[in-house]
Amino acid sequence: MCRISWLRIGSRVSGSRVTRYAFLWVIPLFVIGSGPAAGEAGPDSDPVLSPRELALSLPLDCRLTETCWVANYVDVNPGAQAQDFHCQPRTYDGHDGVDFAIRDLDQMHRGVSVIAAVSGTVRAIRNDMEDVLLEHDAAGRSITGRECGNGVVMDHDGGWQTQYCHLRRDSVRVRVGERVARGSELGLVGISGKTTFPHLHLTVRHNGKIVDPFTGLGLGAGCRSQGRSLWAEPQSIPYEEVALYNLGLSDEPPRIADIRRGQARQPGLDRTAQRLVLWVDLFGVQKGDRVRLRITGPHDQSLLDYEQVIDRTRARQFLFAGRSRTAPEWVEGLYNGEVILRRTHPEKVFTTRATTSMFLK
């Protein structure tokens, strides 16, 4: 069940009314089950010892942190408290792979290629499941045993295997038994199987045991264990503490469904717009994070400066804040929106930000 809460704050600033909103949305993320190949081995608590070298490339045709983002990492904690390899809650209980998310459904419909992270032989495919966002538990139960959706399983030298899940229906380009080179297109990102947002779920196995590609260790290794990254260029796939992956300016408080379908982004606004609203969608917020939303107009005029303290850790959160127009028109020119997230943690303090802009005429 999704939990929704509203926060609306009104105040007087320089004689004009500023209306500020925060819309909080929590979507439960689902455990990815077995994939196209039946009888796959499940998670194993033992770390993989001295694995034969495997060098993985980014499995999507995208620019990480710009047009795609890591939404969830592997859960390496054998207990009930989900933790990724950095001991952070950027995962959920039992999650056995890495989720590479794209911005919205519009980007999905335009097509984002899933590519082979390493050369290998196709072991199994599925290509006929419908692309449907699962919005309630009953829908999830209806696809039991097919949670991966459309996908590809590939075998590699040395007992390695990779699995690619949630591909778009009828997009799989490869056949069982085909030898596929690194970088070859396997299909397109979709929303088939048990998922609530468009993304690729990548699972890595060694001799049938789940392995975290960021450490080369098995699920039971724990978050403090030292391993060796399986990424060919680890620096090109940096750890993301949090992802401010989607933001924009609009003239009305946006609907979350429109934002995530890619239908709310506006190319420009008229100077007679009643409001200016800055919105942002985030992955991986934690309790105590301070999210600041700022709008500035021409000549750096401050129009909005609102801060929201996150009340609890969430996998995904949507926020917006806006200001109503008090003059007959907004001043013509460039308007900038900035979102700043600051996290103060006993072990780490950091700040990240994202910006957007729009011309009013």
Side-chain angles (χ1 to χ4, degrees):
M1 180 67 69
C2 296
R3 295 179 292 277
I4 304 173
S5 60
W6 280 90
L7 171 65
R8 177 169 176 150
I9 301 173
S11 63
R12 294 279 177 177
V13 178
S14 301
S16 63
R17 181 174 176 81
V18 177
T19 305
R20 301 170 181 174
Y21 308 81
F23 181 88
L24 312 183
W25 180 281
V26 184
I27 293 184
L29 300 181
F30 296 95
V31 175
I32 306 297
S34 59
E40 293 297 338
D44 190 280
S45 60
D46 296 325
V48 176
L49 301 177
S50 302
R52 181 172 174 176
E53 193 70 28
L54 185 74
L56 300 169
S57 300
L58 183 67
L60 285 186
D61 182 13
C62 64
R63 297 186 303 277
L64 196 62
T65 74
E66 295 181 27
T67 59
C68 63
W69 298 262
V70 175
N72 296 290
Y73 293 88
V74 176
D75 176 19
V76 300
N77 187 348
Q81 182 182 2
Q83 289 181 316
D84 64 23
F85 72 105
H86 269 223
C87 299
Q88 297 298 308
R90 290 281 274 114
T91 183
Y92 57 93
D93 192 31
H95 191 237
D96 66 358
V98 182
D99 290 341
F100 293 93
I102 58 176
R103 180 172 282 114
D104 51 38
L105 292 177
D106 179 64
Q107 186 181 8
M108 184 198 82
H109 291 311
R110 284 185 277 117
V112 177
S113 294
V114 175
I115 56 180
V118 63
S119 299
T121 302
V122 178
R123 175 177 178 176
I125 65 170
R126 184 187 292 124
N127 198 26
D128 60 356
M129 286 186 68
E130 189 177 0
D131 288 280
V132 178
L133 287 175
L134 297 183
E135 298 178 338
H136 50 80
D137 292 342
R141 289 192 295 270
S142 70
I143 59 170
T144 298
R146 299 178 297 150
E147 291 88 346
C148 177
N150 301 314
V152 177
V153 176
M154 292 181 61
D155 289 330
H156 314 284
D157 294 340
W160 290 97
Q161 187 180 84
T162 53
Q163 181 172 355
Y164 307 78
C165 294
H166 309 310
L167 274 62
R168 206 158 98 185
R169 185 178 186 177
D170 295 330
S171 76
V172 175
R173 305 279 194 264
V174 295
R175 300 183 303 275
V176 173
E178 181 179 350
R179 180 70 181 175
V180 177
R182 177 197 303 273
S184 299
E185 186 180 53
L186 302 178
L188 300 174
V189 174
I191 48 172
S192 62
K194 202 167 188 177
T195 180
T196 59
F197 59 99
H199 72 282
L200 169 71
H201 174 94
L202 175 71
T203 297
V204 178
R205 298 182 180 90
H206 185 244
N207 293 331
K209 300 176 182 179
I210 304 295
V211 177
D212 183 351
F214 285 89
T215 63
L217 301 176
L219 295 190
C223 65
R224 299 292 182 186
S225 300
Q226 296 297 316
R228 182 177 57 189
S229 174
L230 301 181
W231 300 110
E233 298 179 359
Q235 70 279 3
S236 69
I237 306 184
Y239 179 75
E240 297 180 68
E241 297 272 359
V242 64
L244 284 65
Y245 75 98
N246 199 1
L247 72 159
L249 289 165
S250 61
D251 57 0
E252 290 290 343
R255 295 177 62 247
I256 184 67
D258 291 339
I259 293 296
R260 292 180 178 172
R261 289 189 177 96
Q263 298 173 347
R265 192 171 295 277
Q266 297 171 277
L269 295 178
D270 189 89
R271 291 167 58 191
T272 60
Q274 291 296 317
R275 302 175 185 85
L276 279 180
V277 178
L278 173 63
W279 52 265
V280 62
D281 219 353
L282 309 94
F283 283 122
V285 297
Q286 293 188 25
K287 181 178 180 179
D289 286 351
R290 308 183 78 90
V291 184
R292 185 180 178 190
L293 286 79
R294 300 179 63 241
I295 300 177
T296 56
H299 313 296
D300 291 326
Q301 178 190 9
S302 178
L303 300 175
L304 174 76
D305 196 338
Y306 167 69
E307 185 175 77
Q308 170 78 30
V309 179
I310 303 302
D311 61 349
R312 61 190 177 89
T313 297
R314 293 179 173 89
R316 197 176 184 190
Q317 181 155 335
F318 180 70
L319 300 171
F320 62 82
R323 173 169 180 161
S324 298
R325 174 173 56 81
T326 56
E329 294 181 334
W330 298 100
V331 176
E332 182 176 11
L334 187 66
Y335 288 74
N336 296 298
E338 181 181 34
V339 179
I340 305 168
L341 183 144
R342 178 173 173 79
R343 177 172 298 167
T344 302
H345 190 274
E347 297 181 356
K348 188 171 186 179
V349 176
F350 76 92
T351 300
T352 186
R353 69 187 65 216
T355 60
T356 185
S357 61
M358 182 174 290
F359 195 88
L360 269 65
K361 60 181 180 179

